[in-house]
Amino acid sequence: MRWNDLLAADRIVMLVDPGTAAGVLDAAARLLSEGSPATTQLIADALRQREQLGSTAIGHGVAVPHARNAAFRDPRGAFLRLARPIDFGARDGEPVDLVFAMCAPEDTPELHLQHLAGVAERFADPEFRDRLRMARSIDALRGLLLDRPRPAASAAA
């Protein structure tokens, strides 16, 4: 799966003050809604409801909060790299610093599951996780996630 199917550069951020898991879900909802307050609230509520069913932390410092709702016609994702890891209730006990949030239309459960499987598979790669954690700039991080080569200035950094 290409990340470009779900992500856009403006939905990839480095979150300096992540606060709590609830705060991260709120930040993810803002990114996914692209600024619409009503949609932000719908997505935040959906992400929180899903999280109440069980932690979306998949281990190794990664969480994949996700929900389905009628806010969009196509699935979309947001990536947040947290400046400091936070407790997300992961089974392995590791705090989370890499968050891939996703929202999909209610009427596409199969597509939603396919995207979730693709995200989980990609984050199972320890080298990929390390590269995300080592990215020194937002441009480098976006390049890794959007399958773009890094600019020469970032590569030399």
Side-chain angles (χ1 to χ4, degrees):
M1 174 188 80
R2 288 176 39 101
W3 296 105
N4 303 40
D5 296 339
L6 293 172
L7 286 175
D10 60 345
R11 292 194 308 263
I12 299 170
V13 300
M14 296 172 146
L15 199 57
V16 175
D17 184 15
T20 64
V24 171
L25 294 177
D26 289 343
R30 283 190 297 277
L31 291 168
L32 290 167
S33 70
E34 296 180 336
S36 164
T39 305
T40 297
Q41 191 60 53
L42 284 173
I43 294 170
D45 291 345
L47 292 173
R48 287 174 195 267
Q49 288 172 4
R50 170 55 189 90
E51 204 66 34
Q52 287 176 352
L53 296 175
S55 175
T56 56
I58 61 173
H60 305 288
V62 177
V64 186
H66 58 277
R68 291 185 304 147
N69 69 33
F72 310 111
R73 299 175 89 180
D74 297 306
R76 63 175 57 187
F79 179 81
L80 303 89
R81 188 178 83 184
L82 311 183
R84 68 174 171 74
I86 62 167
D87 180 24
F88 233 89
R91 282 191 172 167
D92 67 358
E94 284 192 42
V96 165
D97 64 340
L98 302 175
V99 178
F100 191 104
M102 192 173 73
C103 190
E106 287 180 323
D107 60 351
T108 60
E110 298 85 14
L111 182 60
H112 181 71
L113 292 174
Q114 289 172 2
H115 282 302
L116 280 174
V119 169
E121 181 180 343
R122 190 70 176 115
F123 279 101
D125 178 354
E127 290 180 24
F128 179 67
R129 294 190 309 264
D130 288 345
R131 286 194 310 271
L132 291 173
R133 289 180 173 120
M134 300 290 284
R136 301 178 109 186
S137 70
I138 191 68
D139 288 335
L141 188 62
R142 288 173 175 164
L144 287 167
L145 290 162
L146 296 174
D147 300 325
R148 293 188 316 229
R150 293 187 331 197
S154 295

